[in-house]
Amino acid sequence: MDGLLSGLKTVVDSLGATVLLPIVIFVIAVVLGAKPGRAFRAGVTIGVAFIGINLVIGLMFTSLSEVAQAIVKNTGITRDVVDVGWPSAAAIAFGSSVGLWVIPIGIAVNVLLLMTRMTRTLNVDVWNFWHFAFIGSLVVAATGSLFYGLVAAALMAALALLFADWTAKAVQRFYGIPGVSVPHLASAQILPIAIAVNWVIDRIPGLNAINLDTEVIQKKLGVFGEPVILGLAIGLVLGAIGYYDAGDASTVVSKVLQTGMNLAAVMFLLPRMVKILMEGLIPVSEAARTFVQKRAGDREILVGLDSAILIGHPAAISSALILVPIAIVLSIILPGNRVILFADLAVIPFLVAMAAPVVGGNVLRMVIIGTITLAVGFYVATGLAPLFTSAAVAAGFALPEGTTQITSIVDGFLWVSYVVVEAVAGLGIVGLLALLAVIALCFIAFHRRPAAWERLAGSDDPAPAPAKAPAATPAE
């Protein structure tokens, strides 16, 4: 059995998300009744879209990481907990004892909840099951029990599906991507914070009247408010902050302009990659709808995808870019913080994207919510750093030279991770049962009043007008 699981994990690791996802999409589409040719094209198109998204995100990662390191160098601050980035966290998760079991566990939880009608989401984002394994590996590091770690991973798989169903209508309405949901804990964990902070802002005179969504900005500023120009402007500001003393004048100007153009490219290209993804999703969504209608009447099945499909929206990118220097300032001024950010600053769009439907795309509110979320995250990361490091060492991860403790914004900053680890480490099996009870009660409450829950997530906010893009050639 271990050999089979090890082989499955090796295949997943070697293929990666951009190869594995098209295969999974093709198989699911055929099972749902789509014609093989159409299913094959859908899988390839979705794979191509994710490759495009990853290329653009890679450009953003490189630009922001270089700027962040320059800003940190300028401040002269040092911390003993180093951000090693989400790829390292994923490697640690899949290399852990929980990582061996997480794929069959995640699939089993999904099938069980689909069969019992507790979820509408078919989570095809198998590669991102590493998030469940990571939290499970932290539990193993805290308790020494593989069983506790596996149960924690299963509970996280269920929680991700709850968040996916809860936010599905809001995501579809705001982002204009029908038939999908986002079972991604790193993105969904901001939702309770966003709802609470948005409620408070609504009751603050003056602040509650400020609406800075990207449409309003574009109307007020004209061409200078377009997403591509906003990306350029934010990039120039970040570049100036990071590279003002990078060398002689020509070097400084070059680095600043390169940062501006790179982030302008990100703002321009990401929405177009998402449009390609939507083209690939259409056959799968249609096949799922037909399949379910034949067997279960009006029941809806949603395709669960990575939150990368959300970050192409100008509100998500703009707010995230503004939050980069704020995150660095927080790391300096927060008392008791021991974390310095490097590699993972570019994942901030993933952390804030789910707040956009809650606030109707208001960039100011997203920045406020993101600032509070990051502030909480610094303390979570400081508290979890010893366990994060222990899990890394147990998985055979080599710590960077001169580093004693590590973390990552993805999962290492999440309040969900902290709550789960503290509950299980402090209460053992009772903690696991308490988590199970809370998640089960949330499922029951959601199913009793789905519309009320969905409104909290932003399902009733006016949908933003789609960004203008060059006319696409009709698919043959």
Side-chain angles (χ1 to χ4, degrees):
M1 184 65 177
D2 283 353
L4 177 62
L5 293 175
S6 180
L8 177 62
K9 186 172 79 70
T10 300
V11 169
V12 171
D13 287 346
S14 60
L15 290 180
T18 54
V19 176
L20 183 63
L21 184 59
I23 295 173
V24 173
I25 290 290
F26 170 74
V27 172
I28 289 174
V30 170
V31 169
L32 291 175
K35 293 181 179 180
R38 200 162 187 237
F40 181 75
R41 187 181 188 280
V44 172
T45 302
I46 290 172
V48 168
F50 268 101
I51 289 173
I53 289 171
N54 287 337
L55 287 172
V56 179
I57 291 174
L59 175 63
M60 180 174 66
F61 276 24
T62 300
S63 299
L64 289 183
S65 296
E66 291 175 353
V67 169
Q69 291 181 35
I71 295 174
V72 170
K73 182 181 177 182
N74 292 339
T75 63
I77 64 169
T78 57
R79 296 285 185 270
D80 64 337
V81 180
V82 177
D83 163 31
V84 294
W86 74 264
S88 297
I92 292 166
F94 274 133
S96 70
S97 55
V98 180
L100 190 65
W101 293 87
V102 73
I103 293 176
I105 286 175
I107 293 173
V109 169
N110 197 176
V111 170
L112 175 63
L113 292 179
L114 280 170
M115 291 178 64
T116 56
R117 292 178 172 262
M118 293 303 291
T119 187
R120 296 172 295 153
T121 295
L122 176 61
N123 189 357
V124 302
D125 189 22
V126 176
W127 195 84
N128 271 318
F129 283 11
W130 74 261
H131 294 281
F132 315 145
F134 185 82
I135 295 177
S137 70
L138 292 182
V139 170
V140 173
T143 65
S145 170
L146 176 60
F147 173 74
Y148 285 178
L150 294 177
V151 174
L155 291 176
M156 294 305 95
L159 182 62
L161 294 171
L162 172 64
F163 273 119
D165 286 355
W166 181 8
T167 59
K169 284 191 176 180
V171 165
Q172 293 171 25
R173 181 179 179 84
F174 184 84
Y175 288 103
I177 310 175
V180 304
S181 64
V182 180
H184 199 291
L185 280 180
S187 296
Q189 60 94 33
I190 200 174
L191 187 60
I193 298 174
I195 292 171
V197 174
N198 192 54
W199 184 88
V200 172
I201 292 175
D202 278 339
R203 284 151 183 81
I204 299 177
L207 185 59
N208 60 6
I210 300 175
N211 181 19
L212 286 183
D213 67 44
T214 50
E215 286 185 11
V216 171
I217 293 172
Q218 186 168 347
K219 287 178 182 177
K220 289 184 176 180
L221 300 181
V223 66
F224 296 101
E226 292 181 5
V228 65
I229 306 301
L230 285 177
L232 174 65
I234 295 172
L236 292 175
V237 172
L238 289 177
I241 295 172
Y243 299 126
Y244 69 89
D245 65 346
D248 56 32
S250 62
T251 301
V252 171
V253 171
S254 174
K255 286 182 174 292
V256 171
L257 292 178
Q258 286 175 0
T259 303
M261 286 304 298
N262 285 346
L263 296 184
V266 170
M267 293 282 277
F268 185 81
L269 293 173
L270 264 181
R272 282 150 179 78
M273 296 302 103
V274 174
K275 288 180 184 296
I276 296 173
L277 176 71
M278 290 169 60
E279 180 184 335
L281 281 173
I282 290 172
V284 184
S285 299
E286 290 178 350
R289 185 161 47 251
T290 302
F291 181 88
V292 172
Q293 286 176 348
K294 287 181 179 179
R295 293 161 176 80
D298 59 353
R299 189 186 180 196
E300 181 184 22
I301 296 295
L302 306 171
V303 180
L305 293 175
D306 191 330
S307 55
I309 65 174
L310 309 181
I311 68 170
H313 194 281
I317 306 176
S318 299
S319 58
L321 295 180
I322 295 170
L323 282 166
V324 168
I326 291 175
I328 295 172
V329 170
L330 288 175
S331 70
I332 298 171
I333 66 173
L334 287 176
N337 169 56
R338 297 168 53 199
V339 178
I340 186 70
L341 296 182
F342 280 115
D344 251 1
L345 278 169
V347 306
I348 292 178
F350 291 84
L351 299 186
V352 300
M354 205 70 84
V358 177
V359 300
N362 189 323
V363 174
L364 176 61
R365 294 195 182 201
M366 291 180 69
V367 170
I368 294 172
I369 291 166
T371 300
I372 294 171
T373 302
L374 287 171
V376 172
F378 275 108
Y379 290 112
V380 168
T382 297
L384 291 179
L387 292 177
F388 195 121
T389 307
S390 296
V393 172
F397 180 79
L399 299 183
E401 186 177 351
T403 301
T404 58
Q405 295 192 49
I406 60 174
T407 190
S408 163
I409 289 182
V410 177
D411 289 62
F413 265 53
L414 307 189
W415 63 265
V416 173
S417 304
Y418 187 82
V419 169
V420 171
V421 170
E422 288 297 310
V424 183
L427 300 174
I429 190 68
V430 175
L432 286 172
L433 291 174
L435 291 170
L436 173 62
V438 170
I439 294 171
L441 288 173
C442 286
F443 266 110
I444 293 170
F446 172 71
H447 281 278
R448 285 185 175 177
R449 299 188 63 192
W453 280 59
E454 288 163 352
R455 279 194 297 273
L456 287 174
S459 65
D460 284 351
D461 277 321
K468 294 181 180 179
T473 303
E476 296 180 357

